[in-house]
Amino acid sequence: MDWLDIKEFIKDTLQYIIFIVAVLIIAIYVVGLQQVVGPSMSPTLKNNDIVILDKLSYRFINIERGDIVALYYADSKYLIKRVIGLPGEKIEYKDNKLYIDNVQYSEKYLSENIITKDFSIKDLGYEEIPEDMYLVLGDNREDSLDSRDPTVGLIPKKDILGKVRFKIWPLNDMKILK
């Protein structure tokens, strides 16, 4: 091997290393794939659907009501839920209707046959949602482990992995999620 061959080998190897490092950085900090486990987000997302998670945008923009998010739960488990309550708000469900700061709010993303049992942020021991905390619920309110359960409770912003942007599996039902 002469010097030119060694130089070419090093150049090619460095290109592959840079590519692999770039892919890893994107996978860790920018986007990720997440599988939906269970029926809690049905009909919006179903068991075994695969979604693309935007891990970057919440570093620059605020979490909004209605966002579908992936979050840490119980060590190595992840949940996918919809953000319902924001910091500083008083949340209550009464007669299957959502009230935010005593004003009725329409949940257009829910199926008409979904029933949400009466619930108040006071059931979790709060008058209002504290700063950097969020109330999250599954769209299938009758079968969802979410903020209404004291073992989950309100979710700190640091535990939100990112926003679910796209459903990519199954292929015949790919869509952008709003």
Side-chain angles (χ1 to χ4, degrees), residues 40-65:
S40 72
M41 284 299 295
S42 183
T44 308
L45 297 169
K46 295 175 181 64
N47 189 39
N48 295 323
D49 284 354
I50 297 178
V51 296
I52 293 180
L53 186 63
D54 170 1
K55 297 179 180 180
L56 188 62
S57 64
Y58 286 149
R59 296 176 194 261
F60 306 104
I61 63 170
N62 291 328
I63 297 170
E64 296 181 5
R65 183 181 344 282

Side-chain angles (χ1 to χ4, degrees), residues 41 63-69 81-87 89-93 97-101 105-110 116 119 121 129 133-139 141 146-148 154-155 160:
M41 284 299 295
I63 297 170
E64 296 181 5
R65 183 181 344 282
D67 287 355
I68 300 173
V69 298
K81 303 295 174 194
R82 188 177 300 274
V83 175
I84 302 299
L86 304 173
E89 294 180 336
K90 296 175 185 173
I91 302 293
E92 181 178 27
Y93 278 92
K97 293 178 179 75
L98 169 61
Y99 293 90
I100 301 171
D101 296 329
Y105 183 84
S106 174
E107 295 183 279
K108 295 180 173 102
Y109 41 81
L110 291 181
T116 306
F119 169 80
I121 194 72
I129 299 174
M133 301 285 277
Y134 297 86
L135 181 106
V136 297
L137 300 179
D139 286 357
R141 304 290 166 76
D146 53 37
S147 288
R148 296 171 294 173
L154 298 177
I155 304 299
I160 295 177

Side-chain angles (χ1 to χ4, degrees), residues 124-177:
L124 296 174
Y126 298 97
E127 286 297 315
E128 64 182 37
I129 299 174
E131 188 174 332
D132 286 333
M133 301 285 277
Y134 297 86
L135 181 106
V136 297
L137 300 179
D139 286 357
N140 181 3
R141 304 290 166 76
E142 296 168 3
D143 191 6
S144 178
L145 176 65
D146 53 37
S147 288
R148 296 171 294 173
D149 187 314
T151 64
V152 176
L154 298 177
I155 304 299
K157 184 176 183 177
K158 67 177 181 55
D159 287 350
I160 295 177
L161 295 166
K163 182 175 182 175
V164 175
R165 296 278 186 182
F166 306 99
K167 178 170 133 179
I168 61 169
W169 187 264
L171 292 175
N172 65 349
D173 194 22
M174 289 176 62
K175 63 182 169 185
I176 297 172
L177 298 166

